[in-house]
Amino acid sequence: DSRLDLHGLDREEAYRRLCRHLTRATQRDERLVLVITGKGGSRLPQDAPLPAAFRRRADFAPEGGVLRRLLPLWLEGPELAPLVQACEAAAQHDGGTGAFYVLLRRTRGHQRM
């Protein structure tokens, strides 16, 4: 239903935007949010002249970036857990290991027909 790109943000700003986006998405009765965290560059800084799309696999940390590792923890935390039903890695065409599908809970009393 919507997309949130956190790629390149520091962890504090990423968390604030995630909370704001998921809260608003829930209010709009959205069910699925694509959250892009990025893959986490290990050898090249974010502002490197070579765009991430043209980097080699070896340029990325095998365990992923900070946001990629933190997202599942944030979604399980007290602020977001009531909004989130499930989270899983996105399909390759939606960002693969650098993105997640976040399934939101339906609001009480709301049923689509």
Side-chain angles (χ1 to χ4, degrees):
D1 294 318
S2 65
R3 176 179 180 234
L4 174 63
D5 191 348
L6 303 175
H7 176 236
L9 300 177
D10 65 47
R11 70 179 73 192
E12 290 82 15
E13 180 62 20
Y15 182 71
R16 281 192 297 274
R17 287 192 190 184
L18 178 68
C19 290
R20 187 171 49 242
H21 188 93
L22 295 185
T23 299
R24 289 178 181 163
T26 300
Q27 292 167 347
R28 292 187 304 259
D29 293 321
E30 292 181 11
R31 281 291 279 159
L32 187 66
V33 176
L34 176 64
V35 179
I36 300 165
T37 60
K39 295 178 182 180
S42 63
R43 296 192 180 132
L44 297 172
Q46 283 299 123
D47 59 354
L50 184 62
F54 296 105
R55 296 180 193 174
R56 298 180 320 240
R57 185 176 305 269
D59 293 331
F60 295 96
E63 70 279 0
V66 172
L67 299 181
R68 182 172 170 237
R69 291 191 310 267
L70 287 174
L71 182 72
L73 300 174
W74 289 342
L75 296 176
E76 294 171 359
E79 192 166 351
L80 295 176
L83 306 177
V84 176
Q85 183 172 339
C87 174
E88 67 179 53
Q92 192 62 39
H93 66 273
D94 281 332
T97 59
F100 292 87
Y101 299 123
V102 177
L103 183 64
L104 300 175
R105 296 182 191 279
R106 291 205 187 276
T107 55
R108 289 187 186 262
H110 180 269
Q111 293 197 0
R112 291 186 178 173
M113 294 189 184

